[in-house]
Amino acid sequence: MAEAAKKSSMDGAPVIDFDKFKPTRSFIAARKRKNAIMQALIVIAFIIALIPLISVLWTTIADGFQRLNLDFLSHNMKGISGGKPSPSGGYGGVLHAIIGTLEVTFGSMVISIPIGLLCAVYLVEYAHGGKLAKSISLLVDVMSGIPSIVAGLFAFSMFTILGGPGTINGFEGSVALSLLMMPTVVKTSEEMLKIVPGDLREASYALGVTKQRTITKIVLRTALPGIVSGAILAIARVIGETAPLLMTAGYISSTNFNLFSGQMTTLPVYVYQEYSTMAVVCTKSAGAACVPTIPTERAWAAALVLIVIVLLLNLLGRLVAKIFAVKTEQ
């Protein structure tokens, strides 16, 4: 070591003693302790975050599974009174609410996803941080904080002006929900478009491809998985809304397939109506088949159905994103 240092000094090169930069044993031990503490804190935080999720799922499954059967899924509430069973042997069902939820949610998707995606494309690909882009971003941020009841009041007022007082239908509920979905779609789509590498755009332009075709065939295809995930988040944000749908879509005990005419029941409104009833009075003439707590049981079963629908929509969205995503070579 001394000979090497002497030779280096003779050559005029500086001599660096790298042993001085080696961490000491106490420093390494302190880092290991800090690492172990932080890992423990992260695990504890993860467990704490899981407690309410598992609690909600367990409570919903435990209370809703006992009433969840084929009769419950294939019948509506028409002709159901009190806690007496229907002629089919069941105690009413959620068929009308399932159909209403799917139709109203699909209507809100048709409105909000194209508009939100086009808005995000404009902000990322065309606006380039101009005054209009900043104004749009500000308005989107403001819309994301609008209470759901305000969106319902807006849709109700608009359809009252267009269709007259008392106009209530499923599409009115779709309009209300689309106002709540749109900010989430815009923000998530904008972030996904921003992370698409600029080299892909430049390579496309170098080949003579137009900007419109570059956006549709390269940028959007590359960002598709993230865009789909954002759309799923937006759907999950609105599919459980009750307040705006009470005044826009209303409540009906029978099945309504027409989104543009008549009241339409959704699962959140169904759960609210049933849980508000809590229990019914079973008289002696009602017989032993009368169940006094049937409204609460129906509410929990409907809540479980809603969770299953959200899960299926998530799986469907991820499948679509996987099918249409750009294939990359490993």
Side-chain angles (χ1 to χ4, degrees):
M1 183 71 180
E3 293 179 359
K6 185 177 180 181
K7 184 177 180 181
S8 298
S9 60
M10 291 174 62
D11 294 339
V15 179
I16 301 175
D17 187 6
F18 290 99
D19 293 336
K20 294 181 179 179
F21 298 99
K22 289 183 178 180
T24 62
R25 292 183 178 180
S26 60
F27 180 76
I28 294 175
R31 289 185 60 180
K32 288 182 177 181
R33 286 194 299 270
K34 292 179 181 179
N35 183 62
I37 293 172
M38 292 306 300
Q39 284 184 342
L41 290 176
I42 291 172
V43 171
I44 293 172
F46 174 72
I47 294 174
I48 293 174
L50 282 180
I51 290 175
L53 174 61
I54 296 175
S55 177
V56 169
L57 290 176
W58 176 257
T59 304
T60 307
I61 293 173
D63 294 337
F65 192 75
Q66 60 178 349
R67 191 55 60 184
L68 187 63
N69 50 46
L70 184 61
D71 186 89
F72 183 76
L73 297 174
S74 58
H75 289 77
N76 53 34
M77 294 296 293
K78 188 176 182 180
I80 302 298
S81 61
K84 295 182 294 183
S86 63
S88 64
Y91 292 85
V94 289
L95 177 63
H96 61 313
I98 294 175
I99 294 173
T101 298
L102 294 178
E103 289 193 15
V104 170
T105 305
F106 180 76
S108 63
M109 290 170 56
V110 171
I111 297 172
S112 61
I113 292 179
I115 295 176
L117 183 57
L118 290 174
C119 181
V121 170
Y122 171 77
L123 292 175
V124 176
E125 302 295 333
Y126 293 96
H128 302 297
K131 292 183 178 179
L132 180 59
K134 293 179 180 179
S135 301
I136 294 174
S137 298
L138 177 61
L139 291 176
V140 170
D141 291 335
V142 172
M143 283 185 63
S144 63
I146 291 178
S148 59
I149 190 66
V150 176
L153 285 171
F154 171 81
F156 179 78
S157 302
M158 183 179 71
F159 276 82
T160 298
I161 295 173
L162 298 177
T167 302
I168 294 178
N169 53 58
F171 184 69
E172 188 175 338
S174 297
V175 173
L177 295 185
S178 66
L179 296 176
L180 303 174
M181 285 184 63
M182 211 172 298
T184 305
V185 175
V186 173
K187 282 299 181 182
T188 54
S189 300
E190 183 182 1
E191 294 302 321
M192 290 302 105
L193 293 176
K194 284 181 179 179
I195 64 175
V196 175
D199 295 341
L200 293 178
R201 298 178 177 87
E202 295 174 2
S204 178
Y205 297 149
L207 294 175
V209 182
T210 62
K211 186 168 187 175
Q212 176 269 330
R213 194 169 181 83
T214 299
I215 294 173
T216 55
K217 295 295 183 179
I218 297 178
V219 178
L220 291 179
R221 284 290 303 276
T222 305
L224 183 62
I227 294 173
V228 172
S229 298
I232 293 173
L233 287 175
I235 294 171
R237 159 78 172 83
V238 302
I239 199 172
E241 288 291 345
T242 305
L245 296 179
L246 278 171
M247 63 179 63
T248 55
Y251 178 83
I252 190 173
S253 60
S254 59
T255 305
N256 179 17
F257 292 95
N258 191 346
L259 183 66
F260 302 94
S261 177
Q263 299 189 44
M264 181 172 284
T265 303
T266 58
L267 281 168
V269 175
Y270 179 91
V271 172
Y272 169 77
Q273 294 287 353
E274 291 297 317
Y275 206 82
S276 297
T277 307
M278 293 294 291
V280 295
V281 178
C282 289
T283 60
K284 293 182 179 179
S285 60
C290 181
V291 181
T293 59
I294 190 62
T296 305
E297 295 178 10
R298 284 195 295 250
W300 280 111
L304 180 58
V305 172
L306 183 60
I307 291 176
V308 172
I309 290 177
V310 173
L311 175 62
L312 293 177
L313 289 176
N314 274 270
L315 295 177
L316 179 62
R318 296 190 181 280
L319 179 62
V320 171
K322 184 177 181 180
I323 293 174
F324 292 98
V326 177
K327 303 296 186 296
T328 56
E329 295 182 0
Q330 299 294 333

